[in-house]
């Protein structure tokens, strides 16, 4: 019997706990059932409406590319006939000016179409360079040191400490991540003073390196976008940056808050829109999160989980729409697709900031986060596929889709059997499995948000990726932990440190977070990225990877 949708989402494990010692069931064996939640199996369900949405994006962006070839063909045929038969005679013979008028008319149409195309075409967005902040070594903490700091703070009972220890052991996080020393203080850490202090260290550290790398003066920056989900002081973090670097008075600044781990790509999207509206401009995007300000000192286990995963980190990205920057840029933005599931109550509350019974503030993570996140990821990937997949993969995809539709119609006479319902059903109804495209044909490199080992393993399984494809995500989680919205940039820095990015390579950045949101960005390398000599957080440890990280990931991938 084919598995049901619920069986795809959940796996169970029966554990023998021993023998009941007392009570009415004394002498009998006791068992417990562990339910392991998994991402929805992408192979078994794809929503057609999101495939159609992706093609809608493709058609909207390609309408002028479809018109120009037609005009060129018509114009070329007319000019060819015109030259062959009577070009010179018409030019000098005023009595026969009809064909000249026709040629001029076609020329005007051709020039007008080209003008409309170039004026309507979105400006190319170049990524000049980026940096990822690496804290000082005195902020490093092993997993044991982390638990010891939590114990010294006096804020947790032994049950809470033991729970955090178990989470850390299975998290995929290594022993060199960075945490603020203030978390061991018995005093309250979620203060504006602590938040501003941590923000100054990570943000200014990343920006100092960025301006040194790009040799662009802060006063030349026309657009500034800062995203930090939890810590949002007044004046804003963007104002703090402007004040520190004495930026010009007409800089367009934006501060994004409460948007979770996927805010890094949202910030890039906002910067792209602003660059499209402001010619000859440079934009800086800063993505970070404050660990100490987000530290939860209570006992609610669903709110203790973020304590175990989030670590210090910050990224700073320099974008430009200036054509002269093409020669010095590293990447060009190809596509950006955003998905938001906040209209559904369960998705909206899957990661929710609130106070517990003791009035301690923290992030509450629901048990359904894996399934909810999986639905958002599936929607985003399905929408993006028509924009990035080669034609051969799309033909195979739609061939399977049509086969399933025909097979479904032949076995069902109900009037409600639509194409989308047929596609969403398990394959047992028709015997035809959906064809999931090979995304390795669309991208050379993958930077998937390193939120946890479970999420990384499940995405690897669903997308059919190898350990090599997931290497950057696995290594980043192990070395730096979950740095929230900046994690995808640590992953890209890893690929550069390994010298793996060549000219023409496509990089897929996939992020997901509270809301619930999932966002994708596709970058194309405009030149070979040489192994950096400085300003890369991986330079002192990259030779130890991937083995240092893979040793802690229990999943064995047959695709490797």
């Amino acid at each position: 019997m084919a598995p049901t949708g619920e069986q795809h989402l959940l796996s169970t494990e029966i554990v023998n706990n021993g023998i009941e010692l007392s009570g009415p069931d004394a002498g009998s064996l006791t068992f417990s059932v562990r339910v392991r939640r998994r991402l929805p199996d992408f192979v078994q369900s794809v929503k057609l409406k999101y495939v159609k949405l992706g093609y809608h994006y493709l058609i909207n962006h390609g309408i002028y590319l479809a018109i120009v070839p037609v005009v060129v063909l018509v114009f070329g045929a007319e000019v060819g006939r015109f030259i062959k038969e009577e070009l010179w005679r018409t030019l000098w013979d005023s009595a026969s000016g009809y064909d000249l008028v026709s040629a001029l008319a076609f020329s005007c149409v051709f020039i007008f179409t080209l003008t409309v195309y170039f004026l309507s075409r979105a400006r190319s967005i170049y990524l000049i360079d980026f940096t990822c902040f690496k804290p000082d070594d005195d902020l490093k903490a092993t997993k044991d040191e982390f638990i010891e700091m939590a114990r010294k703070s006096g804020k947790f009972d032994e049950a809470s400490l033991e729970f955090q220890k178990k989470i850390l052991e299975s998290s995929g996080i290594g022993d060199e991540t960075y945490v603020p020393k203030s978390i061991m203080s018995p005093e309250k850490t979620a203060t504006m003073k602590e938040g501003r202090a941590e923000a100054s260290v990570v943000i200014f550290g990343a920006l100092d390196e960025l301006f040194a790398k790009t040799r662009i003066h802060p006063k030349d920056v026309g657009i500034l976008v800062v995203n930090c989900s939890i810590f949002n002081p007044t004046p804003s973090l963007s104002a703090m940056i402007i004040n520190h670097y004495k930026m010009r008075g007409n800089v367009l600044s934006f501060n994004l808050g409460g948007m979770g781990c996927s805010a890094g790509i949202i910030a890039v999207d906002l910067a792209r829109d602003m660059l499209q509206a402001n010619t000859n401009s440079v934009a800086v995007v800063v993505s970070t999160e404050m660990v100490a300000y987000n530290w939860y000192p209570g006992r609610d286990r669903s709110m203790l989980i973020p304590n175990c995963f989030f670590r210090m980190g910050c990224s700073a990205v320099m974008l430009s729409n200036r054509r002269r920057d093409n020669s010095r840029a590293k990447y060009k933005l190809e596509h950006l697709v955003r998905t938001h599931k906040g209209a559904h109550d369960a998705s909206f509350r899957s990661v929710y900031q609130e106070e517990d019974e003791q009035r301690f503030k923290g992030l509450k993570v629901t048990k359904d986060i894996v399934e909810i996140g999986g639905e958002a990821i599936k929607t985003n990937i399905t929408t993006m596929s028509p924009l990035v997949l080669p034609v051969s993969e799309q033909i195979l995809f739609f061939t399977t889709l049509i086969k399933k539709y025909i097979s479904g119609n032949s076995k069902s006479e109900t009037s409600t059997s639509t194409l989308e319902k047929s596609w969403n059903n398990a394959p047992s109804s028709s015997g035809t499995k959906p064809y999931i495209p090979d995304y390795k044909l669309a991208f050379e490199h993958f930077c998937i948000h390193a939120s946890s080992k479970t999420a990384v393993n499940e995405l690897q399984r669903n997308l059919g990726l190898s350990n090599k494809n997931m290497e950057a995500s696995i290594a980043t989680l192990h070395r730096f932990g979950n740095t929230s919205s900046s994690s995808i940039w640590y992953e890209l820095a890893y690929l550069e440190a390994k010298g793996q990015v060549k000219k023409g390579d496509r990089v897929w950045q996939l992020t997901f977070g509270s809301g619930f949101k999932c966002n994708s960005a596709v970058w194309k390398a405009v030149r070979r990225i040489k192994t950096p000599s400085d300003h890369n957080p991986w330079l002192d440890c990259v030779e130890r990877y991937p083995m240092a990280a893979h040793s802690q990931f229990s999943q064995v991938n047959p695709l490797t």
Side-chain angles (χ1 to χ4, degrees):
M1 183 179 69
T4 65
E6 183 68 17
Q7 287 171 323
H8 285 304
L9 298 179
L10 305 177
S11 62
T12 59
E13 178 183 355
I14 300 177
V15 181
N16 186 347
N17 292 333
I19 299 176
E20 188 69 39
L21 300 178
S22 60
D25 299 323
S28 61
L29 292 175
T30 62
F31 296 90
S32 63
V33 179
R34 298 175 183 173
V35 180
R36 297 179 178 176
R37 298 180 180 274
R38 307 176 66 180
L39 289 177
D41 198 335
F42 295 172
V43 177
Q44 304 302 334
S45 63
V46 175
K47 292 188 176 181
L48 181 63
K49 64 179 180 180
Y50 298 121
V51 179
K52 293 164 63 178
L53 181 60
Y55 278 102
H56 176 70
Y57 290 158
L58 183 64
I59 292 172
N60 281 348
H61 287 83
I63 186 66
Y64 292 110
L65 290 177
I67 293 175
V68 170
V70 174
V71 176
V72 170
L73 288 175
V74 174
F75 177 74
E78 181 64 21
V79 169
R81 183 188 65 80
F82 186 67
I83 292 176
K84 181 178 180 180
E85 295 180 357
E86 48 188 34
L87 175 61
W88 297 108
R89 181 174 63 83
T90 304
L91 287 175
W92 301 105
D93 189 355
S94 58
S96 57
Y98 174 77
D99 287 338
L100 178 61
V101 172
S102 177
L104 289 175
F106 275 106
S107 299
C108 291
V109 172
F110 179 68
I111 294 172
F112 175 77
T113 304
L114 285 180
T115 302
V116 172
Y117 168 67
F118 283 109
L119 290 178
S120 303
R121 187 181 60 172
R123 286 179 172 270
S124 297
I125 304 301
Y126 300 104
L127 193 161
I128 299 177
D129 217 325
F130 69 96
T131 55
C132 297
F133 177 68
K134 181 181 177 183
D136 295 333
D137 287 344
D138 62 346
L139 296 177
K140 279 185 181 179
T142 66
K143 292 189 285 289
D144 291 336
E145 289 173 343
F146 180 87
I147 295 299
E148 188 59 29
M149 282 191 284
R151 178 177 282 107
K152 287 181 179 179
S153 70
K155 299 172 182 176
F156 305 99
D157 57 18
E158 283 301 318
S160 298
L161 290 171
E162 188 63 28
F163 173 76
Q164 293 181 80
K165 185 177 181 180
K166 288 181 178 179
I167 293 293
L168 281 172
E169 289 174 352
S170 61
S171 65
I173 294 176
D175 288 326
E176 293 185 283
T177 59
Y178 302 92
V179 295
K181 294 301 181 183
S182 60
I183 65 174
M184 67 182 295
S185 171
E187 303 296 328
K188 185 178 181 181
T189 60
T191 63
M192 299 301 291
K193 180 180 178 180
E194 291 293 344
R196 283 195 173 97
E198 184 180 345
S200 298
V201 170
V202 298
I203 292 177
F204 296 153
L207 285 174
D208 286 346
E209 291 183 359
L210 181 68
F211 291 132
K213 248 178 128 174
T214 60
R215 298 180 181 178
I216 292 179
H217 196 274
K219 286 186 179 294
D220 295 328
V221 175
I223 300 164
L224 173 64
V225 183
V226 182
N227 70 269
C228 181
S229 185
I230 299 298
F231 181 61
N232 292 285
T234 300
S236 66
L237 293 176
S238 59
M240 184 180 75
I241 294 172
I242 293 171
N243 175 262
H244 180 80
Y245 291 101
K246 308 305 178 187
M247 291 183 170
R248 66 195 198 197
N250 64 343
V251 61
L252 303 176
S253 65
F254 302 88
N255 202 92
L256 305 180
M259 305 200 77
C261 298
S262 64
I265 290 182
I266 297 174
V268 170
D269 188 23
L270 176 57
R272 178 189 64 171
D273 291 343
M274 297 308 300
L275 286 171
Q276 296 293 356
N278 297 271
T279 60
N280 198 34
S281 298
V282 172
V284 169
V285 176
V286 178
S287 300
T288 187
E289 194 58 77
M290 301 303 110
V291 176
Y293 194 79
N294 192 40
W295 185 253
Y296 171 68
R299 300 179 180 180
D300 189 323
R301 293 193 172 187
S302 63
M303 301 172 81
L304 284 169
I305 293 175
N307 283 5
C308 302
F309 286 98
F310 286 107
R311 296 293 185 269
M312 294 179 69
C314 179
S315 65
V317 182
M318 184 79 72
L319 303 175
S320 171
N321 61 7
R322 303 181 301 190
R323 289 187 175 89
R324 67 176 182 270
D325 287 328
N326 180 38
S327 59
R328 62 180 301 202
K330 284 185 173 181
Y331 305 94
K332 178 181 176 182
L333 183 60
E334 294 282 301
H335 304 286
L336 197 151
V337 177
R338 294 170 55 181
T339 299
H340 204 305
K341 291 288 188 178
H344 305 287
D345 291 342
S347 296
F348 176 69
R349 299 188 67 91
S350 59
V351 181
Y352 201 81
Q353 187 181 21
E354 61 182 7
E355 295 175 336
D356 64 6
E357 295 179 354
Q358 298 174 285
R359 308 297 291 175
F360 290 129
K361 181 180 64 177
L363 282 178
K364 184 167 188 152
V365 181
T366 66
K367 295 180 180 180
D368 298 329
I369 184 66
V370 177
E371 297 96 306
I372 290 170
E375 287 297 326
I377 294 169
K378 181 178 66 175
T379 299
N380 185 267
I381 292 174
T382 307
T383 305
M384 184 190 63
S385 295
L387 302 174
V388 298
L389 288 172
V391 176
S392 58
E393 288 297 295
Q394 298 194 39
I395 291 175
L396 289 171
F397 176 84
F398 274 102
T399 300
T400 310
L401 180 66
I402 293 172
K403 285 182 179 179
K404 184 171 181 66
Y405 174 61
I406 295 175
S407 177
N409 281 347
S410 64
K411 294 186 178 184
S412 175
E413 297 180 356
T414 59
S415 58
T416 59
S417 179
T418 62
L419 180 59
E420 185 173 337
K421 289 181 179 179
S422 175
W423 184 248
N424 283 325
N425 286 335
S428 58
S429 61
S430 63
T432 304
K433 290 185 177 181
Y435 176 76
I436 296 302
D438 185 358
Y439 289 97
K440 297 187 290 293
L441 298 177
F443 309 107
E444 284 72 33
H445 307 288
F446 298 82
C447 295
I448 297 175
H449 173 47
S451 60
S452 67
K453 185 175 77 172
T454 300
V456 170
N457 284 342
E458 286 297 303
L459 281 169
Q460 179 178 1
R461 177 185 64 84
N462 269 281
L463 297 177
L465 302 179
S466 66
N467 281 343
K468 182 67 175 176
N469 299 139
M470 302 297 294
E471 183 178 318
S473 299
I474 294 172
T476 297
L477 181 62
H478 180 269
R479 176 63 181 84
F480 292 97
N482 182 347
T483 60
S484 190
S485 56
S486 63
S487 68
I488 53 175
W489 298 107
Y490 284 87
E491 294 167 22
L492 187 55
Y494 175 85
L495 296 173
E496 291 188 358
K498 283 286 187 178
Q500 297 178 358
V501 184
K502 301 179 178 62
K503 181 178 180 180
D505 283 0
R506 292 152 298 180
V507 181
W508 179 18
Q509 291 181 323
L510 176 67
T511 64
F512 40 89
S514 61
F516 197 91
K517 301 179 291 294
C518 179
N519 305 308
S520 289
V522 180
W523 302 89
K524 185 175 182 179
V526 297
R527 60 180 172 88
R528 180 183 178 85
I529 311 300
K530 298 180 181 179
T531 303
S533 58
D534 57 359
H535 300 303
N536 188 298
W538 292 94
L539 293 182
D540 65 338
C541 61
V542 70
E543 65 277 356
R544 302 203 308 265
Y545 289 90
M547 294 308 299
H550 282 170
S551 63
Q552 295 202 16
F553 272 66
S554 58
Q555 177 179 351
V556 178
N557 193 337
L559 298 175
T560 305

